Amino acid sequence: MRLTVIGTGYLGATHAACMAELGHEVLGVDVDADKVAALRAGRVPFHEPGLAELIERHTASGRLRFTTDYAEAGAFGDVHFVCVGTPQRADCAGADLTYVDAAFAAIAAHTRPGALLVGKSTVPVGTAGRLARSHEAEVAWNPEFLREGFAVADTLRPDRLVFGVESERAETVLRAVYAPVLAAGTPLVTAGFATAELVKTAANAFLATKISFINAMAEVCEAAGGDVGTLAEALGHDDRIGPKFLRSGVGFGGGCLPKDIRAFAHRAGELGVSLEFLREVDAINMRRRDRVVELARELCGGSLAGTRVTVLGAAFKPDSDDIRDSPALDVADRLRLAGADVTVYDPAAMDNARKAFPRLGYAVCVEEALRGAGLVLHLTEWPQFREIDPEQAAAWVDRPRIVDGRGVLDADRWTAAGWQLRAPGRPAPREEG
Ligand code: UDX
């Protein structure tokens, strides 16, 4: 089939490449000429494992092309996927639909008769219906659940597909698009527009709630002398709860969970439904950042002023260079504002971090970051940080003190190597000698 994918950010670039991988002819569309030029040359403007290879392969074969021209896209495609961003509005009241509305209007002005417009962006419930009423072409909604770092695998082998459709024809077209994915046994849920839109926001709200739940338990553990790591392990053995998304620490960030729960609570409020608990989910999450700063201050005897602090991690999670709402950088900047001399190192997100936080210091490797440090904070759980040898690291730093903001370092091992280690929600390990 001939598909277009409008918007070539994280979601769009991945979707375009994966649709080509499924055998379709794909035209990616973006208003940003620089992005299009980079993608045409097979360059991916962000870090996503496996994506560059796919784009390179399919641009070389001619199955995947990119353009800035909506007229070309309209003439080319049978199905148009809209994958543009829905950022948080500047007034914090809900999602900004400017790009979604503009993309639908631009492509609808050029579509051929019978074309299907498919929204994939995360939108407030009611958007698909509104767009269907305002454009002649048929609309469907097909929310996307990909995780950064696993975007290609999540698109080619998703947990489920959700089709928000209001006609049999739209469902038939989407079934044809995803035929190989469905043939592999992927569950399909078909629904009306409202339910399909809600699946996405509800899924993100649930995940955020799960993380904030365990982080609230971390607060209780801190007050009562418990260990949230052990608590989460024990909870996770209950099949009804499961172990995933129970990693307690500095909390969640990124381009989706924080903004999506705010937009969802706002939209529910417009519909007369109170989702106030999501405000508390957000508040618990932000309190974890305060707690990590507090632990840093405690380890430094009450004041961070003049302390040379190393922050390991800048991306909001490992295997990503995305720093949107990154807890690591937020904490790093708070430490700087508290008077610390902060150096950051991240395996992938350095360029993005430097641009967004030019006042922080940056090192080119773990060793350079650690040399001379008076305090270390571990804030993004990259595997290479977990592999740091605590004895070697103790020799590099000035004072062996560390806050494990992700709660994944082996506290006994670090303590045995002479480190003072603190982790949110976990009792301070007994120090040697
Ligand atoms: C999320 C959803 O998982 C995905 O389905 C949706 O399409 C987009 O939003 P993503 O933002 O890529 O994906 O990251 P995710 O893996 O969900 O992690 C989000 C944040 O939660 C990260 O900052 C991560 O470090 C944090 N997290 C995750 C925890 O703090 N604890 C956990 O147990 C899991």
Side-chain angles (χ1 to χ4, degrees), residues 82-163:
V82 174
C83 296
V84 295
T86 50
Q88 186 167 298
R89 264 177 21 202
D91 57 5
C92 289
D96 178 353
L97 294 176
T98 314
Y99 305 114
V100 170
D101 289 347
F104 268 86
I107 193 64
H110 296 287
T111 47
R112 291 194 270 119
L116 182 65
L117 306 187
V118 186
K120 285 192 83 65
S121 309
T122 302
V123 290
V125 60
T127 305
R130 175 175 62 76
L131 289 166
R133 287 190 297 277
S134 28
H135 298 294
E136 241 167 62
E138 184 164 14
V139 169
W141 218 264
N142 168 220
E144 180 57 59
F145 305 98
L146 62 80
R147 297 159 299 166
E148 292 184 19
F150 301 90
V152 171
D154 282 353
T155 307
L156 293 175
R157 292 178 294 282
D159 291 342
R160 76 298 212 185
L161 286 169
V162 176
F163 296 168

Side-chain angles (χ1 to χ4, degrees), residues 144-148 200 204 207 211 215 244-249 251-257 260 316-318 327 381 406:
E144 180 57 59
F145 305 98
L146 62 80
R147 297 159 299 166
E148 292 184 19
K200 176 60 194 262
N204 277 356
L207 294 171
I211 300 169
N215 281 332
K244 292 185 182 163
F245 273 70
L246 281 183
R247 294 195 313 276
S248 157
F252 59 80
C256 293
L257 296 191
D260 287 353
F316 83 101
K317 70 174 198 180
E381 70 267 50
R406 293 290 178 175

